[in-house]
Amino acid sequence: MTDTSEQNRNQSPDSAQESAARRSTRRGTGGAATRGRTTIADGVVEKIAGLAARDVLGVHAMGSGISRTFGAVRDRVPGNTKSVTRGVKAEVGEVQTALDLEIVVDYGVSIADVARDVRENVVAAVERMTGLEVVEVNIAVSDVKLPDEEDDEPEPRIQ
């Protein structure tokens, strides 16, 4: 019977590394990133996209008129938080996502520029935070906020 230390001395450095790699693989000590699976809910991507879209100059609100009206009523209910996903719909796969956004723009801004900026901001935020590839961001401009129009969401009486 041969001594294992004698065998190791006779092996080339490459074969010793290969043996060590085989032993570590057998023990299950591979990279931690490859153990298990991460899933991201549609709502998580919708929140990220909604916040990123609202950060763009020229975006007045998100969602259609009806959803904003219902949202304003819901927001008045004590204990209810403002919906950041209003106007955002996401379809999330294992490695990709697609988004549909409905926005209201301020009067006087270039809609094409705002849409481009929203698209860039949303793609950057979603890809950075989730690691998912954003394959498309469809933007529907549902309204223009005129300077003299009242907001759908009135100021609170108490400050």
Side-chain angles (χ1 to χ4, degrees), residues 5-155:
S5 61
E6 188 178 321
Q7 265 185 335
N8 287 340
R9 274 182 276 165
N10 293 334
Q11 287 180 339
S12 70
D14 289 340
S15 62
Q17 288 174 350
E18 289 171 10
S19 296
R22 279 195 300 273
R23 281 194 305 276
S24 69
T25 304
R26 272 186 265 136
R27 281 189 241 139
T29 59
T34 60
R35 296 184 194 180
R37 181 178 150 136
T38 303
T39 57
I40 300 171
D42 292 1
V44 172
V45 175
E46 290 170 355
K47 281 184 180 182
I48 295 167
L51 290 170
R54 282 176 176 78
D55 282 346
V56 174
L57 191 64
V59 174
H60 178 75
M62 301 286 296
S64 66
I66 293 172
S67 71
R68 290 193 327 269
T69 302
F70 284 126
V73 172
R74 266 194 317 267
D75 292 345
R76 289 185 185 190
V77 175
N80 210 1
T81 59
K82 191 171 185 172
S83 175
V84 295
T85 61
R86 186 182 312 144
V88 182
K89 179 67 180 140
E91 291 180 41
V92 180
E94 288 186 27
V95 294
Q96 295 179 325
T97 187
L99 296 152
D100 295 318
L101 281 72
E102 191 170 0
I103 65 173
V104 176
V105 298
D106 292 320
Y107 176 79
V109 299
S110 166
I111 293 174
D113 290 346
V114 170
R116 183 196 65 237
D117 294 346
V118 166
R119 204 170 270 116
E120 288 175 357
N121 210 33
V122 167
V123 168
V126 170
E127 287 184 346
R128 179 179 51 81
M129 292 181 71
T130 66
L132 295 169
E133 177 191 4
V134 178
V135 293
E136 66 181 14
V137 178
N138 299 311
I139 298 173
V141 179
S142 62
D143 202 358
V144 174
K145 166 66 171 79
L146 300 175
D148 58 344
E149 282 182 331
E150 287 185 28
D151 281 335
D152 289 339
E153 300 170 15
E155 292 288 321

